[in-house]
Amino acid sequence: SIDRVFRNEKLDATHLAEFHQIEGGVCGRNLGLADLMGIIEHFFKRVGMDDIIFKPAYNPYTEPSMEIFYKNPDPSAGLMEIGNSGIFRPEMLRPMGLPEDCTVIAWGFGLERPTMVKYGIRNIR
């Protein structure tokens, strides 16, 4: 899905109070972190962002969870957070009637920051 998200953030070159988020997920058996990371890396390579870094994070509905960063080739630009991801906790899936051996991997990316990278935009405002 793609939709607008509102956050109480201080506006700056890489933060907006309103942005667009792309969410996705895959439900299946025997899915794990390697599958999740592979899908995310493949997606970003397709849009020209080859250097993706994952860092452990906390999300209330997924465990494990990871923040997703892009390492800009320009050293002065540093890391840019571009999304979040994780494996849904079993207690989130059971009320939906999914089988015990079913796993759901999921992610959410902001649309604006990857667009900044792709087109060389330094200020998102």
Side-chain angles (χ1 to χ4, degrees):
S1 70
I2 302 174
D3 208 347
R4 287 185 301 182
V5 177
F6 302 92
R7 289 203 179 149
N8 185 14
E9 299 228 299
K10 181 180 177 191
L11 300 181
D12 64 25
T14 62
H15 292 85
L16 295 172
E18 174 183 292
F19 63 95
H20 295 83
Q21 183 164 307
I22 303 164
E23 296 177 344
V26 176
C27 178
R29 291 180 168 84
N30 301 315
L31 295 173
L33 276 181
D35 301 296
L36 178 59
M37 293 169 74
I39 289 169
I40 292 167
E41 286 174 335
H42 180 76
F43 175 86
F44 283 110
K45 281 183 183 173
R46 295 286 306 244
V47 295
M49 298 171 69
D50 292 330
D51 207 350
I52 300 300
I53 295 171
F54 298 93
K55 291 186 177 184
Y58 169 78
N59 294 310
Y61 305 114
T62 60
E63 188 178 323
S65 305
M66 300 177 297
E67 291 178 328
I68 308 158
F69 294 86
Y70 171 66
K71 185 177 179 185
N72 196 310
D74 175 3
S76 67
L79 294 178
M80 176 186 287
E81 184 181 355
I82 54 175
N84 218 306
S85 63
I87 299 175
F88 270 96
R89 298 167 57 105
E91 62 268 24
M92 302 304 301
L93 304 177
R94 298 309 153 245
M96 295 179 215
L98 295 173
E100 291 285 328
D101 63 344
C102 181
T103 305
V104 176
I105 57 177
W107 57 87
F109 311 140
L111 181 60
E112 286 78 4
R113 289 182 183 171
T115 301
M116 290 176 69
V117 171
K118 183 167 180 67
Y119 294 105
I121 299 167
R122 292 199 169 269
N123 191 327
I124 200 168
R125 295 173 284 185

